[in-house]
């Protein structure tokens, strides 16, 4: 818990330090929280006094801060000052302290409970005194102090500390050596780069040394003024090339190759070409991916020039890198891959095209959409559904209008419906009467995805166009979607009832099912009339639809039908549906048990009774326990 409290306090201070003081805070300086009171703070106590004091420090004038700095230094060594408050004071000194407090803070670094706080505070305090104090801590006999000091110098980006840090690189302590490498890299100047450059890379320390040299080079280039950038990039290319030739492990070569592509002004380095043909697939993939993801035209040009000669696994890695980076500059590579005879490459290229966007690729993707290769067509469909170009819908609609090919029409319908392009709705309605099964099913599916309020009156008559099981499935989805979208439940119920009144309605079961999801008296009345129909088939269809609805209204109708249905088989069917529905309903436990009592009284077969017992056992309530004692005594 202590580290959590500590980080909370420091985070609060950083937040407050970035905010302008409020008039109230400035006015309250006459009633300051005393630092002497903070000295008695310990973990677990209220944070309010600390927050108030931080606000005062933020609102204080330079002279007031100097006085607070002196007082905190005095309190740090005073008897009775808790470790918790020492940490707080040290953190505050890191935020407002000056060179004057650096020596005193450095002396506290030897205390194990304060080492981390001291070094972090010294890392934040500006001035040479603080920097010298941290450098001096590198000679501490305590390893934790040396490690904290190394990290603090990296945080300070202290170039003057580089010589002192380099003496750890060849040391026996690997942890200190790696920390020193990381801190020198963080310094990120060309002086730091040269300091690292003298250390041989091959050997047991290859990867940390190579990473540090490359990271230092990257930081130096990134901090170079624009007017010196060309020279800096040339220098970085030399460093990266040297590192690439020196490293022996795959991981080291990958790091160096990526850095070369990123930092050099000439990404098409001769040193990278052999790596594209390296027998190690991991290395090939990393180099190819770095080239393809690079924003530098030279890198992309190099990748394109060699793409067709690369092994398939490397080509796939290049396309995956383009997809991940969304590098539009690499679209020529994508276009080359789209024309490949290898299905896997085309699929990967389609994904890359979708990630990069660009109107120019839409015709190519539409062509792929009509492919006889199912994987290619499916990839193109997903890509076009997610395509981010502003003109995508207009271009797809235009292509749909001029296409006479059934498969492409059906797939374009699916894409436009997935994109919620409502303009295609009327055409989908028209094509539900198509003599072609593929186009007809696609039209029904598109309608289901594009439903809007008021479409029920359009969907119902389309039942006459159903010619296959696929048509029926898609039309049923459209029907339920249309019912769910209707704002006026009574109107929806009236429309469905009117359709049921037509003799020989072929989709009666689906319409009855749609009625069960409408919560309106008109829907209930229609279902009741269906349950009392002289046609046994109609009654059973209605019972089955109610059983599938799993709604309270459906449960009530099923329970009643279990006693009023004219045939025993229908009563059993209704009771089975009622029991199944009751288990899915959400209601208070006692109320549910009471409903199970009703179903128990109607159950005459062992199957239904066993189902009720199993359901009641799942209810954790005293009424359920009492009921079980009656119906299933042990």
């Amino acid at each position: 818990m202590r580290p959590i409290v500590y980080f909370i306090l420091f985070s609060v201070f950083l937040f407050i330090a970035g905010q302008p003081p409020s008039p109230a805070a400035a006015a309250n300086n006459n009633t300051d929280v005393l630092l002497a009171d903070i000295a008695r703070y310990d973990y677990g106590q209220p944070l309010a006094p600390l927050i108030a004091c931080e606000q005062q420090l933020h609102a204080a004038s330079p002279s007031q801060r100097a006085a607070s700095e002196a007082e905190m230094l005095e309190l740090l060594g005073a008897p009775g000052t808790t470790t918790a408050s020492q940490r707080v004071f040290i953190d505050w000194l890191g935020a407002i302290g000056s060179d004057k407090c650096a020596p005193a803070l450095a002396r506290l670094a030897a205390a194990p409970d304060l080492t981390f706080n001291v070094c972090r505070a010294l890392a934040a305090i500006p001035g040479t005194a603080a920097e010298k104090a941290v450098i001096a801590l590198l000679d501490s006999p305590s390893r934790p102090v040396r490690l904290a000091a190394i990290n603090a110098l990296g945080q300070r980006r202290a170039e003057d500390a580089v010589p002192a840090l380099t003496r750890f690189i060849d040391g026996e302590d690997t942890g200190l050596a790696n920390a020193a490498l990381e801190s020198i890299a963080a310094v990120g100047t060309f002086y730091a780069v040269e300091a690292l450059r003298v250390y041989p890379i091959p050997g047991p320390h290859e990867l940390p040394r190579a990473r540090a040299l490359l990271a230092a080079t990257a930081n130096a280039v990134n901090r170079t003024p624009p007017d010196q950038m060309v020279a800096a990039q040339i220098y970085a290319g030399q460093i990266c090339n040297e590192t690439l030739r020196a490293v022996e492990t795959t991981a080291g070569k990958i790091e160096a190759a990526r850095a070369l592509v990123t930092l050099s002004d000439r990404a098409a380095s001769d040193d990278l070409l052999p790596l594209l043909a390296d027998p190690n697939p991991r290395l090939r993939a990393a180099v190819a991916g770095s080239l393809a993801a690079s924003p530098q035209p030279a890198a992309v040009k190099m990748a394109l020039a060699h793409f067709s000669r690369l092994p398939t696994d490397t080509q796939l890695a290049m396309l995956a890198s383009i997809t991940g980076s969304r590098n539009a500059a690499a679209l020529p590579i994508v276009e080359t891959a789209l024309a490949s005879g290898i299905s896997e490459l085309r699929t990967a290229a389609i994904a890359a095209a979708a990630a990069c966007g660009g109107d120019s690729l839409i015709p190519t993707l539409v062509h792929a959409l009509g492919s006889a290769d199912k994987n290619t067509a499916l990839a193109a469909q997903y890509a076009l559904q997610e395509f981010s170009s502003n003109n995508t819908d207009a271009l797809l609609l235009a292509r749909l209008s001029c296409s006479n090919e059934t498969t492409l029409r059906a797939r374009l319908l699916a894409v436009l419906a997935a994109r919620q392009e409502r303009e295609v709705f009327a055409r989908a309605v028209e094509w539900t009467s198509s003599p072609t099964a593929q186009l007809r099913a696609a039209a029904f599916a598109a309608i289901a995805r594009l439903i809007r309020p008021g479409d029920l009156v359009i969907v119902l008559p389309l039942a006459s166009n159903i010619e296959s099981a696929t048509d029926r499935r898609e039309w049923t989805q459209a029907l339920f979607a249309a019912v769910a979208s209707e704002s006026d439940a009574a109107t929806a119920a009236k429309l469905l009832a009117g359709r049921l009144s037509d003799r020989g309605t072929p989709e009666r079961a689906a319409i009855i099912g749609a009625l069960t999801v409408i919560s309106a008296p008109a829907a209930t009345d229609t279902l009741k009339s269906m349950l009392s129909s002289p046609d046994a088939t109609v009654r059973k269809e209605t019972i089955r639809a109610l059983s599938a609805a799993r709604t309270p209204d459906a449960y009530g109708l099923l329970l009643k039908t279990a006693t009023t249905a004219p045939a025993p088989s229908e009563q059993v069917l209704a009771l089975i549906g009622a029991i199944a529905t009751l288990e899915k309903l959400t209601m208070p436990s006692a109320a549910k048990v009471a409903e199970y009592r009703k179903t128990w009284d109607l159950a005459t077969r062992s199957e239904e009774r066993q189902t009720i017992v199993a359901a009641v056992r799942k209810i954790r309530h005293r009424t359920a326990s009492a009921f079980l004692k009656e119906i299933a005594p042990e």
Side-chain angles (χ1 to χ4, degrees), residues 321-343:
S321 180
I322 295 171
T323 302
S325 63
R326 298 179 178 271
N327 185 16
L331 285 179
I333 300 174
V334 175
E335 292 170 349
T336 300
L338 284 170
S340 169
I342 301 174
S343 173

Side-chain angles (χ1 to χ4, degrees), residues 33 47-57:
V33 175
L47 299 177
L50 276 70
I51 295 174
C53 194
E54 288 168 351
Q55 291 174 331
Q56 293 165 191
L57 288 172

Side-chain angles (χ1 to χ4, degrees), residues 377-428:
L378 189 61
Q381 181 174 333
Y382 288 147
L384 287 169
Q385 286 174 184
E386 302 297 327
F387 212 73
S388 57
S389 165
N390 293 332
N391 299 319
T392 302
D393 291 340
L395 292 170
L396 292 176
L397 284 168
R399 188 69 180 86
L400 180 65
S401 298
C402 66
S403 174
N404 294 319
E405 203 277 310
T406 299
T407 297
L408 183 57
R409 278 182 168 184
R411 291 172 180 172
L412 282 170
L413 264 183
V415 169
L416 287 162
R419 294 179 65 87
Q420 289 297 298
E421 178 49 64
R422 176 70 179 184
E423 190 173 333
V424 82
F425 184 81
R427 193 166 302 175

Side-chain angles (χ1 to χ4, degrees), residues 13-96:
F13 184 82
L14 290 178
F15 172 76
I16 293 172
Q19 308 299 314
S22 66
N28 284 340
N29 281 340
N30 293 329
T31 57
D32 286 352
V33 175
L34 298 178
L35 289 171
D37 295 332
I38 301 297
R40 293 187 290 273
Y41 165 78
D42 210 344
Y43 298 110
Q45 295 178 357
L47 299 177
L50 276 70
I51 295 174
C53 194
E54 288 168 351
Q55 291 174 331
Q56 293 165 191
L57 288 172
H58 172 61
S61 65
S63 61
Q64 290 171 326
R65 288 190 176 190
S68 296
E69 177 183 350
E71 185 177 358
M72 283 190 282
L73 287 172
E74 183 178 348
L75 289 169
L76 278 171
T81 301
T82 65
T83 299
S85 61
Q86 284 181 312
R87 288 176 171 174
V88 171
F89 288 150
I90 291 169
D91 289 339
W92 288 350
L93 287 169
I96 69 164

